[in-house]
C-alpha cells in the first residue's frame, strides 16, 4: 500500500531552496500527477511522472522559469521522507532533501 502524500508539505533542500508542495489527490496506485509546487526562486511548478509506493516516492517538477527538477526519496520505517534531486538540464547540480509535514514530519499509508 503506498504512502499518503496528499495535502500540503515542504521539501527542504540542502541547496537552500524550500519547495511548497500541494498534492490535492492521490490515486490508489500512489500516482499524484497534477499536483503543484511553489518555490521563491523557481516560481510555480507542475508535478508530473509522480508516484508514491510503500517505500519510495518519485516526481518531476516543471518550473515556470523553465527548469525541471527530478526528485526521488525513501520513507524510513517511521514514515519520514528523505531523498535527492537534480536539475535535468544540469545533472551534476544535485541536492539532498527532506520532507516537512505538520508537527511530526511523518507520512502514513494511503487508506
Amino acid at each position: 500500500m503506498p504512502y499518503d502524500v496528499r495535502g500540503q508539505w515542504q521539501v527542504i533542500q540542502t541547496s537552500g531552496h524550500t519547495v511548497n508542495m500541494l498534492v490535492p489527490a492521490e490515486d490508489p496506485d500512489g500516482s499524484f500527477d497534477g499536483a503543484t509546487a511553489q518555490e521563491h526562486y523557481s516560481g510555480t511548478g507542475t508535478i508530473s511522472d509522480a508516484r508514491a509506493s510503500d517505500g519510495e516516492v518519485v516526481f518531476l517538477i516543471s518550473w515556470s522559469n523553465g527548469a525541471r527538477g527530478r526528485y526521488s526519496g525513501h520513507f524510513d520505517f517511521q514514515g519520514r521522507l528523505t531523498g535527492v534531486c537534480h536539475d535535468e538540464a544540469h545533472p551534476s547540480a544535485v541536492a539532498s532533501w527532506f520532507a516537512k509535514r505538520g508537527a511530526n514530519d511523518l507520512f502514513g499509508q494511503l487508506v
Side-chain angles (χ1 to χ4, degrees):
M1 179 171 285
Y3 272 87
D4 183 358
V5 297
R6 294 174 295 179
Q8 294 181 330
W9 44 286
Q10 292 181 313
V11 172
I12 312 298
Q13 298 178 199
T14 55
S15 61
H17 297 268
T18 298
V19 179
N20 296 304
M21 305 279 291
L22 176 58
V23 181
E26 182 178 356
D27 293 336
D29 69 355
S31 55
F32 57 97
D33 291 349
T36 58
Q38 185 169 9
E39 199 277 329
H40 178 74
Y41 300 102
S42 302
T44 57
T46 303
I47 297 171
S48 62
D49 197 17
R51 188 173 192 154
S53 71
D54 62 349
E56 55 191 17
V57 66
V58 294
F59 53 94
L60 173 69
I61 302 178
S62 299
W63 294 104
S64 58
N65 70 357
R68 290 168 46 100
R70 175 75 57 187
Y71 294 74
S72 61
H74 296 280
F75 297 98
D76 71 9
F77 72 98
Q78 292 178 316
R80 287 184 182 85
L81 177 57
T82 59
V84 295
C85 59
H86 70 273
D87 182 335
E88 287 196 329
H90 305 97
S92 62
V94 177
S96 298
W97 58 267
F98 69 93
K100 190 165 177 58
R101 178 181 189 172
N104 60 13
D105 299 336
L106 301 180
F107 291 80
Q109 294 202 329
L110 185 64
V111 289

